[in-house]
Amino acid sequence: MTDSPGPHSGTAGTDAATQVFVDHRELLFSVVYNILGSVADTEDVLQETWLSWAGRGRGTPQAPVEKPRAYLVRIAVNHALARRAVVDRRRETYAGTWLPEPLVGTDSPVENADAGEQALRGEAVSMALLVVLETLSPLERAVFVLNEVFGYPHTEIAEIIDRSAAAVRQLAHRARSHVRSRRPRFETHPRVRRQATERFVAAALGGDLATLLEILAPDVTLWTDGGGKARSVPRPVRGRDNVARTLAGFASRPPADLDVRYRSVNGDAAAVVYADGAPFAVMVMDLAAGGEGVSDVYIVTNPEKLAAVGRGEDVARTATDEGATVERQGPA
């Protein structure tokens, strides 16, 4: 007895395969994005996953897939691990600091802070955590994402990445220890984060040095990613005075017609800055444990990483939106 049909020949089989993929696409997007940190690469991996899924058994009859969700996650994760090597090679020649591509939602978290929304956003790893995940090996990162973010047990992860359960437990332990040493668990209420974000953005864009010195933590780090295509600093800036003066320097030469819109970025309150109607920067800040100032500032100005923002779309598409896309052109 199967819980959903796998792909097979014929129009009915193609339609069924398409619907199964659409039903799981949002999950697959979240898993792959958290492994890669790139929306464009995630979309490519999902296209590869669809081709693998739709082409299964083509020309050779095969038994239906008993657990389509598990099967699709396994395909997607393995395609993502293969793509990870491509991403890493690209980063070796990347100009300046590399930050994950921001996943921008349409609303600020504080506007919809009920339990259901909180659970949904839990699948979008924060910018700060994504930066830490970049220091893990590809397998450690995949195991961490599947176990810590999506709750997969070690036995299921072992089947997904074709390793023993014992090996997965070791990978999980190493990844968890590394992440917790770099980023201790600390949660801030969405309303507090939104208020802190608004105050920080006003001071940063206004070049208010005194306020910046007041709200930045002593050991704050500023990360800017312009990809060699937009204004940024080539490496992280550390320390309250250095960060405050760097931000004030940016503000001294502002672009024309600035417009700040507060949005959810990777599940956290953040600011999307437009200049002359086009996306100019995404600004995300992280609070120190206990709320004692801003500990990290992440600013993405690389226009390639802001392309999805410019289209005015939430790149984490809903299943309904995706269904409409599939009807027009297939699940690309």
Side-chain angles (χ1 to χ4, degrees):
M1 186 74 179
T2 61
D3 58 352
S4 183
H8 51 78
S9 60
T11 302
T14 300
D15 291 344
T18 299
Q19 189 57 54
V20 169
F21 184 85
V22 169
D23 288 345
H24 294 90
R25 191 185 191 281
E26 190 169 2
L27 167 67
L28 299 177
F29 183 98
S30 295
V31 170
V32 173
Y33 169 79
N34 288 327
I35 292 174
L36 298 179
S38 163
V39 174
D41 287 297
T42 295
E43 294 288 1
D44 287 344
V45 166
L46 261 60
Q47 177 70 6
E48 294 166 359
T49 301
W50 159 251
L51 293 174
S52 297
W53 169 250
R56 179 185 176 275
R58 188 168 289 167
T60 305
Q62 295 189 22
V65 177
E66 293 188 1
K67 298 179 179 179
R69 174 187 172 107
Y71 188 89
L72 283 167
V73 169
R74 179 173 184 170
I75 295 174
V77 168
N78 281 281
H79 278 308
L81 288 172
R83 178 58 63 103
R84 185 72 239 183
V86 176
V87 173
D88 290 342
R89 285 196 297 272
R90 190 189 308 148
R91 283 191 56 186
E92 292 176 359
T93 57
Y94 193 80
T97 299
W98 186 95
L99 288 175
E101 187 172 348
L103 199 58
V104 180
T106 55
D107 298 317
S108 168
V110 76
E111 297 171 11
N112 298 292
D114 58 54
E117 290 292 327
Q118 293 279 15
L120 180 60
R121 289 197 306 275
E123 296 180 356
V125 175
S126 70
M127 179 71 72
L129 183 52
L130 282 173
V131 170
V132 175
L133 294 186
E134 285 296 320
T135 63
L136 301 179
S137 73
L139 276 179
E140 287 173 344
R141 180 167 181 165
V143 169
F144 183 90
V145 167
L146 289 169
N147 183 237
E148 295 286 324
V149 181
F150 295 93
Y152 279 80
H154 295 151
T155 51
E156 288 190 36
I157 297 173
E159 294 178 2
I160 291 171
I161 65 172
D162 195 24
R163 296 292 192 280
S164 69
V168 168
R169 281 192 291 272
Q170 289 181 339
L171 287 166
H173 176 73
R174 287 202 303 268
R176 189 162 47 247
S177 298
H178 181 82
V179 169
R180 289 180 179 173
S181 68
R182 295 283 300 273
R183 181 171 172 76
R185 291 181 180 272
F186 171 66
E187 298 295 332
T188 306
H189 191 280
R191 190 171 301 279
V192 173
R193 183 177 289 276
R194 168 65 184 263
Q195 292 170 346
T197 297
E198 291 181 355
R199 188 178 183 215
F200 166 77
V201 170
L205 295 181
D208 186 345
L209 187 61
T211 300
L212 285 170
L213 289 171
E214 178 185 343
I215 63 180
L216 295 175
D219 57 351
V220 62
T221 300
L222 168 66
W223 316 69
T224 61
D225 178 352
K229 303 174 181 64
R231 189 179 180 191
S232 62
V233 289
R235 57 185 59 85
V237 178
R238 306 184 191 278
R240 177 189 285 150
D241 289 347
N242 292 334
V243 170
R245 295 184 188 284
T246 300
L247 291 171
F250 286 162
S252 66
R253 289 176 286 169
D257 194 21
L258 281 184
D259 176 26
V260 181
R261 305 176 192 177
Y262 291 98
R263 295 289 186 262
S264 168
V265 174
N266 295 84
D268 284 337
V272 180
V273 182
Y274 287 76
D276 199 22
F280 172 72
V282 169
M283 303 176 68
V284 184
M285 42 129 281
D286 198 30
L287 293 177
E292 298 175 357
V294 174
S295 62
D296 293 274
V297 179
Y298 306 95
I299 302 178
V300 179
T301 55
N302 184 344
E304 292 181 359
K305 293 186 177 182
L306 301 179
V309 180
R311 292 194 299 268
E313 299 173 349
D314 179 2
V315 291
R317 299 188 180 104
T318 63
T320 300
D321 292 339
E322 181 57 26
T325 302
V326 170
E327 288 183 1
R328 293 194 303 272
Q329 61 185 30

